[in-house]
Amino acid sequence: MIAENLQQVRNNIKRACEAVGRDPDEVTLVAVSKTKPVEMLKEAYDAQTRVFGENKVQEIMDKYDRLPDDVQWHMIGHLQRNKVKYIVDKVAMIHSVDSLRLAETIEQEAAKHDIRVPVLVEVNVAQEDSKFGLKVDEVLPFIEQAAQLPHLEIKGLMTIAPYVENPENNREIFRQLKKLSVDIEDKNINNITMSVLSMGMTGDYEVAVQEGATMVRVGTGIFGERNYL
Ligand SMILES: *Cc1c(COP(=O)(O)O)cnc(C)c1O
């Protein structure tokens, strides 16, 4: 079941790329495995998944040792500063950097391990009160400051688009994030790139890919509905 779902999602990404003349190899599928048991992650692993997305520090710690070493764990959820130390040397990327204080904490913890941590800046493009993330006009000043933290590797932007029935309704959100990343790229800020654009979830990842996503975060479409207790 998971293998079939994965195949379908990969095909959909491929078709979305073809529709706009992009190379499917530019798009990384992050399999969002939050709340799902390790057995299901192993099934996805056996079907060639290596990039998993989780939104809780505790869950990453619980699952980390139970999957092979070549898994790349992506922290996609809101990150509290006091928990950075538990995962800073375990994650391949943090998608949810949304304050200078958090960036500074990651800097300190990464320095202790003598590593550079790839991060994305979370942008609340739709300006939903319920969501974390910087406002569009806060992003450039933020990056100019965070770029000075040597153990942070700012790789791009991330957004969580609103929940919509019709994915077309999020196209403009994705366009705005893409435009913002191009504008920032044009500033040629030292020590940062805008090579990653993390946008699109189960309901709208094909539209996101058409608008330039280089990472899509798909949970339900791979692992099925989540049961929250
Ligand atoms: C849960 C989650 C996803 C995946 O959502 P689906 O709709 O199940 O694909 C993607 N991104 C973030 C930040 C999430 O928390």
Side-chain angles (χ1 to χ4, degrees), residues 99-126:
S99 76
L100 206 54
R101 287 184 353 141
L102 174 60
E104 284 164 354
T105 303
I106 297 169
E107 165 65 28
Q108 283 163 14
E109 296 298 331
K112 287 180 193 168
H113 293 274
D114 198 17
I115 55 173
R116 289 190 82 207
V117 181
V119 304
L120 305 178
V121 178
E122 181 170 352
V123 189
N124 187 357
V125 180

PDB file of all heavy atoms in Angstrom, residues 99-126:
ATOM      1  N   SER A  99      12.584  32.751  13.806  1.00  0.00           N
ATOM      2  CA  SER A  99      12.960  33.870  14.672  1.00  0.00           C
ATOM      3  C   SER A  99      14.471  33.901  14.823  1.00  0.00           C
ATOM      4  O   SER A  99      15.144  32.872  14.677  1.00  0.00           O
ATOM      5  CB  SER A  99      12.310  33.752  16.053  1.00  0.00           C
ATOM      6  OG  SER A  99      12.981  32.762  16.819  1.00  0.00           O
ATOM      7  N   LEU A 100      14.980  35.087  15.117  1.00  0.00           N
ATOM      8  CA  LEU A 100      16.418  35.223  15.296  1.00  0.00           C
ATOM      9  C   LEU A 100      16.877  34.475  16.546  1.00  0.00           C
ATOM     10  O   LEU A 100      17.954  33.884  16.576  1.00  0.00           O
ATOM     11  CB  LEU A 100      16.790  36.711  15.385  1.00  0.00           C
ATOM     12  CG  LEU A 100      18.210  37.032  14.952  1.00  0.00           C
ATOM     13  CD1 LEU A 100      18.519  36.511  13.562  1.00  0.00           C
ATOM     14  CD2 LEU A 100      18.446  38.528  15.013  1.00  0.00           C
ATOM     15  N   ARG A 101      16.020  34.476  17.550  1.00  0.00           N
ATOM     16  CA  ARG A 101      16.389  33.753  18.786  1.00  0.00           C
ATOM     17  C   ARG A 101      16.553  32.265  18.516  1.00  0.00           C
ATOM     18  O   ARG A 101      17.475  31.631  19.013  1.00  0.00           O
ATOM     19  CB  ARG A 101      15.345  34.007  19.876  1.00  0.00           C
ATOM     20  CG  ARG A 101      15.494  35.420  20.393  1.00  0.00           C
ATOM     21  CD  ARG A 101      14.607  35.830  21.545  1.00  0.00           C
ATOM     22  NE  ARG A 101      13.588  34.921  21.972  1.00  0.00           N
ATOM     23  CZ  ARG A 101      13.264  34.722  23.250  1.00  0.00           C
ATOM     24  NH1 ARG A 101      13.903  35.341  24.205  1.00  0.00           N
ATOM     25  NH2 ARG A 101      12.280  33.913  23.566  1.00  0.00           N
ATOM     26  N   LEU A 102      15.649  31.706  17.719  1.00  0.00           N
ATOM     27  CA  LEU A 102      15.783  30.286  17.366  1.00  0.00           C
ATOM     28  C   LEU A 102      17.044  30.066  16.527  1.00  0.00           C
ATOM     29  O   LEU A 102      17.804  29.125  16.757  1.00  0.00           O
ATOM     30  CB  LEU A 102      14.537  29.803  16.617  1.00  0.00           C
ATOM     31  CG  LEU A 102      14.599  28.373  16.072  1.00  0.00           C
ATOM     32  CD1 LEU A 102      14.808  27.353  17.191  1.00  0.00           C
ATOM     33  CD2 LEU A 102      13.319  28.036  15.287  1.00  0.00           C
ATOM     34  N   ALA A 103      17.280  30.955  15.576  1.00  0.00           N
ATOM     35  CA  ALA A 103      18.476  30.832  14.729  1.00  0.00           C
ATOM     36  C   ALA A 103      19.738  30.862  15.587  1.00  0.00           C
ATOM     37  O   ALA A 103      20.672  30.089  15.370  1.00  0.00           O
ATOM     38  CB  ALA A 103      18.499  31.956  13.691  1.00  0.00           C
ATOM     39  N   GLU A 104      19.746  31.728  16.594  1.00  0.00           N
ATOM     40  CA  GLU A 104      20.923  31.844  17.459  1.00  0.00           C
ATOM     41  C   GLU A 104      21.116  30.596  18.317  1.00  0.00           C
ATOM     42  O   GLU A 104      22.240  30.171  18.583  1.00  0.00           O
ATOM     43  CB  GLU A 104      20.814  33.110  18.323  1.00  0.00           C
ATOM     44  CG  GLU A 104      21.113  34.362  17.515  1.00  0.00           C
ATOM     45  CD  GLU A 104      20.651  35.658  18.182  1.00  0.00           C
ATOM     46  OE1 GLU A 104      19.985  35.599  19.248  1.00  0.00           O
ATOM     47  OE2 GLU A 104      20.940  36.733  17.627  1.00  0.00           O
ATOM     48  N   THR A 105      20.026  30.017  18.751  1.00  0.00           N
ATOM     49  CA  THR A 105      20.132  28.776  19.530  1.00  0.00           C
ATOM     50  C   THR A 105      20.676  27.646  18.662  1.00  0.00           C
ATOM     51  O   THR A 105      21.540  26.876  19.096  1.00  0.00           O
ATOM     52  CB  THR A 105      18.757  28.380  20.101  1.00  0.00           C
ATOM     53  OG1 THR A 105      18.267  29.460  20.893  1.00  0.00           O
ATOM     54  CG2 THR A 105      18.863  27.133  20.953  1.00  0.00           C
ATOM     55  N   ILE A 106      20.186  27.548  17.433  1.00  0.00           N
ATOM     56  CA  ILE A 106      20.711  26.526  16.520  1.00  0.00           C
ATOM     57  C   ILE A 106      22.209  26.764  16.298  1.00  0.00           C
ATOM     58  O   ILE A 106      23.008  25.824  16.311  1.00  0.00           O
ATOM     59  CB  ILE A 106      19.933  26.525  15.184  1.00  0.00           C
ATOM     60  CG1 ILE A 106      18.465  26.152  15.416  1.00  0.00           C
ATOM     61  CG2 ILE A 106      20.577  25.541  14.196  1.00  0.00           C
ATOM     62  CD1 ILE A 106      17.562  26.384  14.201  1.00  0.00           C
ATOM     63  N   GLU A 107      22.574  28.026  16.119  1.00  0.00           N
ATOM     64  CA  GLU A 107      23.987  28.381  15.949  1.00  0.00           C
ATOM     65  C   GLU A 107      24.839  27.865  17.116  1.00  0.00           C
ATOM     66  O   GLU A 107      25.865  27.209  16.918  1.00  0.00           O
ATOM     67  CB  GLU A 107      24.106  29.910  15.835  1.00  0.00           C
ATOM     68  CG  GLU A 107      25.490  30.503  16.006  1.00  0.00           C
ATOM     69  CD  GLU A 107      26.472  30.091  14.918  1.00  0.00           C
ATOM     70  OE1 GLU A 107      26.018  29.813  13.793  1.00  0.00           O
ATOM     71  OE2 GLU A 107      27.683  30.029  15.204  1.00  0.00           O
ATOM     72  N   GLN A 108      24.382  28.136  18.322  1.00  0.00           N
ATOM     73  CA  GLN A 108      25.152  27.730  19.517  1.00  0.00           C
ATOM     74  C   GLN A 108      25.279  26.212  19.608  1.00  0.00           C
ATOM     75  O   GLN A 108      26.356  25.682  19.893  1.00  0.00           O
ATOM     76  CB  GLN A 108      24.456  28.221  20.790  1.00  0.00           C
ATOM     77  CG  GLN A 108      24.664  29.701  21.067  1.00  0.00           C
ATOM     78  CD  GLN A 108      23.642  30.234  22.069  1.00  0.00           C
ATOM     79  OE1 GLN A 108      22.957  29.455  22.741  1.00  0.00           O
ATOM     80  NE2 GLN A 108      23.523  31.549  22.162  1.00  0.00           N
ATOM     81  N   GLU A 109      24.180  25.529  19.390  1.00  0.00           N
ATOM     82  CA  GLU A 109      24.202  24.066  19.543  1.00  0.00           C
ATOM     83  C   GLU A 109      25.005  23.419  18.407  1.00  0.00           C
ATOM     84  O   GLU A 109      25.697  22.426  18.619  1.00  0.00           O
ATOM     85  CB  GLU A 109      22.780  23.500  19.591  1.00  0.00           C
ATOM     86  CG  GLU A 109      21.967  23.978  20.796  1.00  0.00           C
ATOM     87  CD  GLU A 109      22.586  23.550  22.135  1.00  0.00           C
ATOM     88  OE1 GLU A 109      23.256  22.495  22.186  1.00  0.00           O
ATOM     89  OE2 GLU A 109      22.406  24.296  23.119  1.00  0.00           O
ATOM     90  N   ALA A 110      24.901  23.982  17.212  1.00  0.00           N
ATOM     91  CA  ALA A 110      25.662  23.442  16.078  1.00  0.00           C
ATOM     92  C   ALA A 110      27.158  23.650  16.301  1.00  0.00           C
ATOM     93  O   ALA A 110      27.973  22.779  15.979  1.00  0.00           O
ATOM     94  CB  ALA A 110      25.210  24.100  14.774  1.00  0.00           C
ATOM     95  N   ALA A 111      27.503  24.800  16.872  1.00  0.00           N
ATOM     96  CA  ALA A 111      28.911  25.094  17.137  1.00  0.00           C
ATOM     97  C   ALA A 111      29.506  24.051  18.088  1.00  0.00           C
ATOM     98  O   ALA A 111      30.649  23.615  17.907  1.00  0.00           O
ATOM     99  CB  ALA A 111      29.050  26.501  17.713  1.00  0.00           C
ATOM    100  N   LYS A 112      28.721  23.632  19.071  1.00  0.00           N
ATOM    101  CA  LYS A 112      29.214  22.624  20.030  1.00  0.00           C
ATOM    102  C   LYS A 112      29.606  21.326  19.327  1.00  0.00           C
ATOM    103  O   LYS A 112      30.497  20.621  19.763  1.00  0.00           O
ATOM    104  CB  LYS A 112      28.134  22.308  21.070  1.00  0.00           C
ATOM    105  CG  LYS A 112      27.907  23.410  22.077  1.00  0.00           C
ATOM    106  CD  LYS A 112      26.824  22.993  23.073  1.00  0.00           C
ATOM    107  CE  LYS A 112      26.361  24.195  23.890  1.00  0.00           C
ATOM    108  NZ  LYS A 112      25.146  23.897  24.650  1.00  0.00           N
ATOM    109  N   HIS A 113      28.882  21.007  18.265  1.00  0.00           N
ATOM    110  CA  HIS A 113      29.165  19.775  17.512  1.00  0.00           C
ATOM    111  C   HIS A 113      30.097  20.030  16.333  1.00  0.00           C
ATOM    112  O   HIS A 113      30.384  19.113  15.570  1.00  0.00           O
ATOM    113  CB  HIS A 113      27.866  19.164  16.978  1.00  0.00           C
ATOM    114  CG  HIS A 113      26.958  18.656  18.052  1.00  0.00           C
ATOM    115  ND1 HIS A 113      27.077  17.399  18.586  1.00  0.00           N
ATOM    116  CD2 HIS A 113      25.933  19.246  18.703  1.00  0.00           C
ATOM    117  CE1 HIS A 113      26.133  17.224  19.513  1.00  0.00           C
ATOM    118  NE2 HIS A 113      25.440  18.338  19.600  1.00  0.00           N
ATOM    119  N   ASP A 114      30.476  21.299  16.149  1.00  0.00           N
ATOM    120  CA  ASP A 114      31.330  21.657  15.028  1.00  0.00           C
ATOM    121  C   ASP A 114      30.702  21.260  13.688  1.00  0.00           C
ATOM    122  O   ASP A 114      31.353  20.704  12.812  1.00  0.00           O
ATOM    123  CB  ASP A 114      32.711  20.994  15.194  1.00  0.00           C
ATOM    124  CG  ASP A 114      33.759  21.666  14.327  1.00  0.00           C
ATOM    125  OD1 ASP A 114      33.511  22.801  13.879  1.00  0.00           O
ATOM    126  OD2 ASP A 114      34.810  21.043  14.078  1.00  0.00           O
ATOM    127  N   ILE A 115      29.411  21.516  13.556  1.00  0.00           N
ATOM    128  CA  ILE A 115      28.711  21.200  12.303  1.00  0.00           C
ATOM    129  C   ILE A 115      28.008  22.456  11.795  1.00  0.00           C
ATOM    130  O   ILE A 115      27.797  23.411  12.545  1.00  0.00           O
ATOM    131  CB  ILE A 115      27.646  20.079  12.486  1.00  0.00           C
ATOM    132  CG1 ILE A 115      26.654  20.442  13.602  1.00  0.00           C
ATOM    133  CG2 ILE A 115      28.317  18.741  12.756  1.00  0.00           C
ATOM    134  CD1 ILE A 115      25.480  19.483  13.738  1.00  0.00           C
ATOM    135  N   ARG A 116      27.641  22.413  10.517  1.00  0.00           N
ATOM    136  CA  ARG A 116      26.771  23.459   9.959  1.00  0.00           C
ATOM    137  C   ARG A 116      25.422  22.808   9.692  1.00  0.00           C
ATOM    138  O   ARG A 116      25.343  21.739   9.088  1.00  0.00           O
ATOM    139  CB  ARG A 116      27.339  24.008   8.656  1.00  0.00           C
ATOM    140  CG  ARG A 116      28.577  24.862   8.849  1.00  0.00           C
ATOM    141  CD  ARG A 116      28.948  25.564   7.547  1.00  0.00           C
ATOM    142  NE  ARG A 116      28.157  26.781   7.361  1.00  0.00           N
ATOM    143  CZ  ARG A 116      27.874  27.313   6.153  1.00  0.00           C
ATOM    144  NH1 ARG A 116      28.292  26.717   5.056  1.00  0.00           N
ATOM    145  NH2 ARG A 116      27.171  28.424   6.065  1.00  0.00           N
ATOM    146  N   VAL A 117      24.372  23.473  10.110  1.00  0.00           N
ATOM    147  CA  VAL A 117      23.041  22.887   9.984  1.00  0.00           C
ATOM    148  C   VAL A 117      22.273  23.572   8.852  1.00  0.00           C
ATOM    149  O   VAL A 117      22.081  24.791   8.873  1.00  0.00           O
ATOM    150  CB  VAL A 117      22.246  23.040  11.301  1.00  0.00           C
ATOM    151  CG1 VAL A 117      20.875  22.406  11.173  1.00  0.00           C
ATOM    152  CG2 VAL A 117      23.010  22.420  12.460  1.00  0.00           C
ATOM    153  N   PRO A 118      21.862  22.799   7.857  1.00  0.00           N
ATOM    154  CA  PRO A 118      21.042  23.366   6.782  1.00  0.00           C
ATOM    155  C   PRO A 118      19.648  23.733   7.307  1.00  0.00           C
ATOM    156  O   PRO A 118      18.999  22.912   7.970  1.00  0.00           O
ATOM    157  CB  PRO A 118      20.947  22.215   5.764  1.00  0.00           C
ATOM    158  CG  PRO A 118      22.085  21.294   6.111  1.00  0.00           C
ATOM    159  CD  PRO A 118      22.225  21.397   7.596  1.00  0.00           C
ATOM    160  N   VAL A 119      19.238  24.959   7.045  1.00  0.00           N
ATOM    161  CA  VAL A 119      17.935  25.412   7.533  1.00  0.00           C
ATOM    162  C   VAL A 119      17.172  26.155   6.432  1.00  0.00           C
ATOM    163  O   VAL A 119      17.762  26.679   5.488  1.00  0.00           O
ATOM    164  CB  VAL A 119      18.061  26.356   8.759  1.00  0.00           C
ATOM    165  CG1 VAL A 119      18.837  25.698   9.886  1.00  0.00           C
ATOM    166  CG2 VAL A 119      18.678  27.699   8.382  1.00  0.00           C
ATOM    167  N   LEU A 120      15.860  26.172   6.605  1.00  0.00           N
ATOM    168  CA  LEU A 120      14.985  26.984   5.760  1.00  0.00           C
ATOM    169  C   LEU A 120      14.292  28.014   6.645  1.00  0.00           C
ATOM    170  O   LEU A 120      14.088  27.779   7.835  1.00  0.00           O
ATOM    171  CB  LEU A 120      13.926  26.105   5.077  1.00  0.00           C
ATOM    172  CG  LEU A 120      14.446  24.930   4.252  1.00  0.00           C
ATOM    173  CD1 LEU A 120      13.276  24.136   3.673  1.00  0.00           C
ATOM    174  CD2 LEU A 120      15.383  25.404   3.147  1.00  0.00           C
ATOM    175  N   VAL A 121      13.941  29.119   6.055  1.00  0.00           N
ATOM    176  CA  VAL A 121      13.218  30.158   6.769  1.00  0.00           C
ATOM    177  C   VAL A 121      11.723  29.962   6.495  1.00  0.00           C
ATOM    178  O   VAL A 121      11.300  29.912   5.336  1.00  0.00           O
ATOM    179  CB  VAL A 121      13.672  31.554   6.293  1.00  0.00           C
ATOM    180  CG1 VAL A 121      12.881  32.646   7.017  1.00  0.00           C
ATOM    181  CG2 VAL A 121      15.171  31.723   6.516  1.00  0.00           C
ATOM    182  N   GLU A 122      10.958  29.810   7.577  1.00  0.00           N
ATOM    183  CA  GLU A 122       9.515  29.589   7.401  1.00  0.00           C
ATOM    184  C   GLU A 122       8.805  30.925   7.203  1.00  0.00           C
ATOM    185  O   GLU A 122       8.976  31.856   7.987  1.00  0.00           O
ATOM    186  CB  GLU A 122       8.929  28.859   8.610  1.00  0.00           C
ATOM    187  CG  GLU A 122       7.437  28.590   8.441  1.00  0.00           C
ATOM    188  CD  GLU A 122       6.858  27.659   9.490  1.00  0.00           C
ATOM    189  OE1 GLU A 122       7.628  27.075  10.282  1.00  0.00           O
ATOM    190  OE2 GLU A 122       5.612  27.527   9.517  1.00  0.00           O
ATOM    191  N   VAL A 123       8.022  30.984   6.141  1.00  0.00           N
ATOM    192  CA  VAL A 123       7.327  32.221   5.785  1.00  0.00           C
ATOM    193  C   VAL A 123       5.826  31.978   5.825  1.00  0.00           C
ATOM    194  O   VAL A 123       5.318  31.036   5.215  1.00  0.00           O
ATOM    195  CB  VAL A 123       7.730  32.693   4.365  1.00  0.00           C
ATOM    196  CG1 VAL A 123       7.167  34.085   4.097  1.00  0.00           C
ATOM    197  CG2 VAL A 123       9.247  32.680   4.182  1.00  0.00           C
ATOM    198  N   ASN A 124       5.135  32.836   6.543  1.00  0.00           N
ATOM    199  CA  ASN A 124       3.680  32.740   6.631  1.00  0.00           C
ATOM    200  C   ASN A 124       3.084  33.592   5.514  1.00  0.00           C
ATOM    201  O   ASN A 124       2.572  34.681   5.742  1.00  0.00           O
ATOM    202  CB  ASN A 124       3.232  33.216   8.018  1.00  0.00           C
ATOM    203  CG  ASN A 124       1.752  32.988   8.277  1.00  0.00           C
ATOM    204  OD1 ASN A 124       1.005  32.529   7.410  1.00  0.00           O
ATOM    205  ND2 ASN A 124       1.319  33.326   9.480  1.00  0.00           N
ATOM    206  N   VAL A 125       3.187  33.072   4.301  1.00  0.00           N
ATOM    207  CA  VAL A 125       2.808  33.857   3.119  1.00  0.00           C
ATOM    208  C   VAL A 125       1.343  34.281   3.202  1.00  0.00           C
ATOM    209  O   VAL A 125       0.987  35.409   2.886  1.00  0.00           O
ATOM    210  CB  VAL A 125       3.058  33.057   1.819  1.00  0.00           C
ATOM    211  CG1 VAL A 125       2.664  33.878   0.596  1.00  0.00           C
ATOM    212  CG2 VAL A 125       4.517  32.638   1.703  1.00  0.00           C
ATOM    213  N   ALA A 126       0.516  33.356   3.636  1.00  0.00           N
ATOM    214  CA  ALA A 126      -0.928  33.624   3.653  1.00  0.00           C
ATOM    215  C   ALA A 126      -1.342  34.471   4.855  1.00  0.00           C
ATOM    216  O   ALA A 126      -2.513  34.853   4.971  1.00  0.00           O
ATOM    217  CB  ALA A 126      -1.690  32.301   3.651  1.00  0.00           C
TER     218      ALA A 126
END
